[in-house]
Amino acid sequence: MTEFELIARLTEGAPREAADLPCGVGDDCAVVAGPHGRDWLVTVDAFAEGIHFMREWANFRSIGRKALAAAASDVAAMGGLPRFYLATIGLGPGDEEGAAGEIYSGMREAAHENGLVLVGGDTFRSPSGITMSLTVVGEAGHGEAILRSGAKAGDGVFVTGSLGGAAVGLASLRSGKRGGACGKFVERHLEPRPRVAEGRAIARSRLATAMIDSSDGLVADLCHIAEASSLGFEIEAGLVPFDPDLSAAAVELGIDFNDAVLAGGEDYELIFTVAGKSLPAFERTAKEIGAVRIGTMVGERERREVRGAGGEPLAVGPGGFDHFGRKGGS
Ligand code: ADP
Ligand code: MG
């Protein structure tokens, strides 16, 4: 059973609708209608040692920093403004309180940078390893939050920043090669920056039809927009932006460049769609936030096409990028 099949099974039968709930389970955040023409955006993310982080690879400060940044990214993914957070932490059997203190100092950094105020949490002793759960509450104007489900056939697909860096950083950490071209990608993996300002600019333009953050990998996350919007897509691998040092680092690490860029997770860039007729009006915002167009949404739901540099189609499976039948991903 995939993670998404499990979520569908778990959430089945639960009360999931309310008059003041414009968007419940299934998007980056739930959207709850608030007073004074504002909506609340609510999200929770878990971070467990050995799954989401390894203490051998990162200090506790950067672990805390990344956890809150990743949680805040779900608010950015809807074009919202992060406001409040609650932090739950379970310390492992051998962990001193100092470890939690350092994790919280990293969270404080991310909180200051993203305008977040700590409003609560919970503390417990975990039987194995450090476990965290971070709830972030954001805010947006009523009806302003950009859902995954709003894309239409013919919309342009855009991404911010550059893709694949975090996956290369993870590969560096795994291989122990952290110097040279790999260094900055390690930092990209360990200390991501949620695209809050970019998300706000996209929301303010009122021209985006759907949006998500790239946490699972570009193609997998675009599949989430496609599924929620009942569409397919065509993108060109050659248009996907990447850091100029990425290919040298990929060669050094012996990893597949396309896998990193198309399927590598945790870049926390924004992937979004803009209606064909709005493209000229969106140009200025795209330039301002460094977003580029990489493809188009199409009406055929089963069409999930990634074209390679020579125009050849690369196969994509339902779980994400799967070139020539081999499962990609980091
Ligand atoms: P993201 O990667 O953006 O944090 P996820 O892929 O974790 O989102 O989750 C997809 C959707 O499913 C979200 O709306 C999330 O709130 C919901 N979800 C995930 N796990 C559960 C769960 N155990 N119970 C209820 N809803 C869940
Ligand atoms: Mg998300």
Side-chain angles (χ1 to χ4, degrees):
M1 194 186 298
T2 67
E3 179 188 341
F4 298 103
E5 286 163 352
L6 178 63
I7 293 171
R9 184 173 292 187
L10 292 177
T11 57
E12 202 179 276
R16 285 170 43 169
E17 289 181 21
D20 50 0
L21 183 70
C23 172
V25 174
D27 217 302
D28 291 292
C29 299
V31 182
V32 180
H36 316 301
R38 309 296 291 171
D39 286 343
W40 294 114
L41 311 179
V42 189
T43 180
V44 65
D45 264 328
F47 299 89
E49 185 170 355
I51 299 168
H52 300 93
F53 65 88
M54 310 280 272
R55 67 173 80 198
E56 296 78 21
W57 292 349
N59 57 42
F60 289 128
R61 181 197 58 79
S62 75
I63 289 166
R65 188 190 160 95
K66 178 172 179 175
L68 187 55
S73 178
D74 279 325
V75 171
M78 303 195 90
L81 190 67
R83 293 293 313 278
F84 305 105
Y85 70 109
L86 297 97
T88 291
I89 186 159
L91 285 177
D95 291 319
E96 306 290 335
E97 288 81 11
E102 284 174 45
I103 288 172
Y104 268 64
S105 79
M107 281 188 210
R108 271 200 307 272
E109 285 180 20
H112 281 299
E113 280 167 27
N114 294 291
L116 281 160
V117 172
L118 177 64
V119 294
D122 201 5
T123 314
F124 65 101
R125 192 53 85 172
S126 148
S128 64
I130 292 174
T131 306
M132 286 179 273
S133 169
L134 291 177
T135 299
V136 171
V137 178
E139 186 186 352
H142 182 60
E144 190 187 67
I146 305 165
L147 310 186
R148 297 176 179 182
S149 55
K152 298 274 184 297
D155 288 4
V157 177
F158 286 78
V159 293
T160 58
S162 64
L163 278 299
V168 166
L170 177 61
S172 300
L173 289 165
R174 282 196 176 129
S175 72
K177 290 186 195 161
R178 298 179 65 156
C182 301
K184 71 169 151 185
F185 301 115
V186 168
E187 191 181 326
R188 174 90 201 230
H189 177 78
L190 294 179
E191 302 205 351
R193 186 177 69 80
R195 303 302 185 202
V196 173
E198 292 84 344
R200 292 297 299 148
I202 294 163
R204 272 197 310 269
S205 79
R206 300 210 162 255
L207 298 173
T209 52
M211 187 151 72
I212 191 169
D213 61 333
S214 66
S215 52
D216 295 343
L218 171 61
V219 171
D221 288 313
L222 187 54
C223 283
H224 296 324
I225 288 185
E227 261 149 44
S229 301
S230 303
L231 295 173
F233 58 81
E234 292 171 357
I235 62 170
E236 284 186 43
L239 295 178
V240 179
F242 55 87
D243 186 284
D245 295 326
L246 196 81
S247 61
V251 168
E252 198 173 320
L253 294 162
I255 60 167
D256 187 292
F257 176 81
N258 270 343
D259 271 359
V261 172
L262 298 170
E266 298 196 303
D267 283 315
Y268 300 107
E269 294 293 355
L270 299 176
I271 305 166
F272 60 99
T273 56
V274 174
K277 67 173 177 8
S278 310
L279 292 174
F282 188 68
E283 254 171 45
R284 209 180 54 172
T285 306
K287 209 170 195 174
E288 230 171 68
I289 62 171
V292 296
R293 183 171 176 192
I294 60 166
T296 306
M297 301 304 293
V298 301
E300 305 93 302
R301 291 183 66 160
E302 57 295 336
R303 194 175 179 91
R304 290 171 175 190
E305 196 168 290
V306 184
R307 281 191 291 269
E312 76 285 6
L314 306 175
V316 179
F321 180 63
D322 181 9
H323 65 187
F324 309 112
R326 186 170 64 84
K327 181 76 188 80
S330 56

